[in-house]
Amino acid sequence: MKTRFLFLTSLIFLSSFAGVCSAAAPYIQWTGNAGTSDWNTGSNWNGGVVPGAADKAGFKTATGAVVATSVPTFLQMTLGGNGGLGILTVQPGAVINCTDTWAMGQSGGEGGVLAMSGGTITVGTWCYVGNAGTGTINISGGSISVGTVLGIADGAAATSIGTINLDGGTITATTFRMANLGGTARLNI
């Protein structure tokens, strides 16, 4: 009887644990519906909620957020999507913490732009600037810190276009790669 109870208890625990581990992170898309460019306004996001620690944040429009304060920590960032251009502007005073990956121009036909004049961005793992699409970072101040790889045009050969225009500020990464698998990579200092 004890063995059967222990087995059933273990089975229930493992089933609930597997459900937690297999759940995909919610993708929360910027809409700008609040009529402001404030990241921290819930009604600017699909579903009325600001992305949090277990969420993927996404920008598919040219009227993206302007960040000048701290925003909640989130899991992943995508700038660009479904053939669109996603833009994020980061100003002095901004504190952004992305615990996993940050992608600009993740897929072919997509474009992502990060315009940064100050503040800090911390990316936990990879930062793609033109993975298979087109990605651009324009930085004139502030700092970007990438935990593992900063890749410029580091994805699918011919369609990858990545550009970093460093006119001030700092970018640090454990590993830095340009056109690792082909594509067009530019670093303008």
Side-chain angles (χ1 to χ4, degrees), residues 2 13-14 30 55 72 89 103 109-110 115 127 140 151 177 187:
K2 282 185 178 182
F13 172 75
L14 290 174
W30 173 266
D55 300 324
T89 302
E110 297 177 359
C127 181
S140 60
R177 299 192 317 207
L187 176 60

Side-chain angles (χ1 to χ4, degrees), residues 101-131:
T101 57
W102 184 295
M104 291 164 275
Q106 178 68 17
S107 301
E110 297 177 359
V113 177
L114 172 63
M116 187 169 183
S117 61
T120 61
I121 296 175
T122 303
V123 179
T125 60
W126 289 68
C127 181
Y128 302 102
V129 184
N131 189 53

Side-chain angles (χ1 to χ4, degrees), residues 1-2 4 26 28 36 38 41 43 46 48 58 77 94 96 114 117 122 129 132-133 144 149 155 171-172 178:
M1 184 72 164
K2 282 185 178 182
R4 187 175 193 180
I28 302 177
T36 72
D38 182 14
T41 300
S43 54
N46 192 32
M77 168 63 76
I96 299 174
L114 172 63
S117 61
T122 303
V129 184
I144 300 172
V149 176
I171 301 175
T172 58
M178 293 179 68

